[in-house]
């Protein structure tokens, strides 16, 4: 079993598409297919379900994926550790950012980081909080920007402060004239929201439940940008970071009573030290005024 084969398998497993996976690892599709077939023969089990419509993982493939991701991450860390000793900071940096996170301008940080370390290949992924925490714990990501709550049992975390969520309403909504809105006054309003399995939605639902009511959800979507568009169209109201609301000329953000705050953190794998590339990025983050000291293990 070779690292090259594992890298090819992980690419297909993540993309679920041979053509995109081949482009991702910079080989032709026939080479990719032959590599994975050879791996399947060596393991004595089919890893992928292939047909004309889709590519999927078999049970064996699902079992192999996290182990393959961990093996590749370990190999990358070993390579970058040797490069660091030689004074050459290179390799890969994989960063995750939760959908709708606006507390940290990751793009500016990455641009500054790239100017300092141009030989490091950067990968940026957007996903749900739970998925990013899991990928970080498993080694698929070096670090991720997320917000509480989440299961922190297998990661280390550094608090970056709190982020305010405002009530986003259409600019001609009667509420738009108010400076502050009591959450209890929203019992009869319809909301557009993230899917029910998103952590942020569950967090907000819990706050409303403590005030004695359950929100009426008229529409669900996967991304905060879609929520902004739905509010602008007049479908409902939503709780969003102020930075996202400020980008729309048809939506305004209102303070709420009580305020809805969420803590933003950066998480790193709990079972190993950050790679040299990740450690350099954490230094960059600290230099920008976020956090202060080493990431702590969550309890």
């Amino acid at each position: 079993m070779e690292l090259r084969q594992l890298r090819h398998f992980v690419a297909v497993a993540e993309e679920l598409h041979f053509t995109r996976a081949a482009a991702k690892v910079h080989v032709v599709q026939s080479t990719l297919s032959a590599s994975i077939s050879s791996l399947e023969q060596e393991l004595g089990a089919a890893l992928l379900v292939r047909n004309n419509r889709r590519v999927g993982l078999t049970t064996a493939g699902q079992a192999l994926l996290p182990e393959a991701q961990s093996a590749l991450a370990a190999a990358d860390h070993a390579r970058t550790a040797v490069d660091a000793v030689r004074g050459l900071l290179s390799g890969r940096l994989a960063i995750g950012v939760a959908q709708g996170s606006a507390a940290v301008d990751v793009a500016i940080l990455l641009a500054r980081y790239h100017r300092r370390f141009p030989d490091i290949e950067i990968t940026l992924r957007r996903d749900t909080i739970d998925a990013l925490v899991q990928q970080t714990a498993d080694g698929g990501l070096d670090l991720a920007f997320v917000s509480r709550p989440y299961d922190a049992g297998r990661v280390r975390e550094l608090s970056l402060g709190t982020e305010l969520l405002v009530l986003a309403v259409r600019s001609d909504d009667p509420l738009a004239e108010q400076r502050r809105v009591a959450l209890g006054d929203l019992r009869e309003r319809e909301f557009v929201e993230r899917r029910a399995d998103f952590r942020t939605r569950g967090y907000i639902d819990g706050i409303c439940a403590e005030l004695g009511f359950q929100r009426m959800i008229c529409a669900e979507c996967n991304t905060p940008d879609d929520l902004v568009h739905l509010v602008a169209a007049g479908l409902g109201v939503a709780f969003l970071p102020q930075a996202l609301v400020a980008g729309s000329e048809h939506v305004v953000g209102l303070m709420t009573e009580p305020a809805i705050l969420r803590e933003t953190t950066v998480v790193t794998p709990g079972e190993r030290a950050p790679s040299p590339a990740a450690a350099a990025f954490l230094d960059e983050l600290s230099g920008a005024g976020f956090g202060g000291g080493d990431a702590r293990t969550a309890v």
Side-chain angles (χ1 to χ4, degrees), residues 67-238:
E67 301 299 331
Q69 290 171 326
S70 295
L72 292 174
D76 288 341
H77 294 159
R79 184 180 299 109
T80 54
V82 172
D83 287 342
V85 171
R86 296 169 55 213
L88 303 172
L89 193 55
S90 61
R92 296 181 178 85
L93 177 69
I95 292 180
V97 181
Q99 296 175 357
S101 177
V104 180
D105 194 330
V106 178
I108 289 179
L109 285 172
L110 287 177
R112 186 182 305 160
Y113 179 82
H114 178 65
R115 287 194 292 270
R116 289 185 60 195
F117 308 109
D119 293 330
I120 294 179
E121 178 184 331
I122 299 170
T123 300
L124 181 64
R125 300 179 190 169
R126 292 274 184 181
D127 212 327
T128 64
I129 292 171
D130 285 345
L132 293 178
V133 172
Q134 182 68 43
Q135 291 168 32
T136 302
D138 290 341
L141 292 174
D142 290 294
L143 56 94
F145 292 91
V146 294
S147 59
R148 292 182 180 276
Y150 52 81
D151 180 3
R154 295 178 57 213
V155 294
R156 295 171 63 85
E157 57 180 2
L158 178 68
S159 177
L160 304 178
T162 56
E163 179 181 27
L164 177 69
L165 298 184
V166 298
L167 179 69
V169 303
R170 185 180 165 97
S171 56
D172 59 0
D173 190 292
L175 291 177
E177 300 299 322
Q178 301 184 30
R179 297 183 60 184
R180 190 179 299 269
V181 177
L183 291 181
D185 293 340
L186 301 174
R187 299 171 186 268
E188 305 302 321
R189 293 302 301 259
E190 290 186 313
F191 284 81
V192 292
E193 253 297 359
R194 304 152 185 85
R195 295 198 320 258
D197 58 330
F198 278 38
R199 288 279 186 166
T200 298
R201 174 171 170 178
Y203 170 61
I204 296 172
D205 284 344
I207 293 175
C208 294
E210 290 179 357
L211 295 174
F213 74 98
Q214 181 177 350
R215 291 185 297 158
M216 296 187 294
I217 310 298
C218 65
E220 296 179 349
C221 61
N222 289 350
T223 69
D225 287 339
D226 285 336
L227 289 178
V228 174
H229 295 321
L230 293 177
V231 172
L235 185 59
V237 299

Side-chain angles (χ1 to χ4, degrees), residues 255-277:
M255 299 287 290
T256 65
E257 181 62 43
I260 297 180
L261 300 171
R262 63 179 183 182
E263 183 181 5
T264 300
T265 68
V266 59
V267 296
T268 56
E271 299 174 357
R272 63 179 181 279
S275 69

Side-chain angles (χ1 to χ4, degrees), residues 1-11 25 27 31-32 34-43 47 64 67-73 75-76 79:
M1 186 185 306
E2 301 175 0
L3 287 175
R4 172 182 57 84
Q5 294 172 311
L6 293 180
R7 198 174 299 281
H8 292 170
F9 165 69
V10 169
V25 294
V27 299
T31 298
L32 183 70
S35 177
I36 293 177
S37 294
S38 176
L39 180 61
E40 289 176 321
Q41 291 176 5
E42 182 176 347
L43 294 175
L47 302 173
L64 176 63
E67 301 299 331
Q69 290 171 326
S70 295
L72 292 174
D76 288 341
R79 184 180 299 109

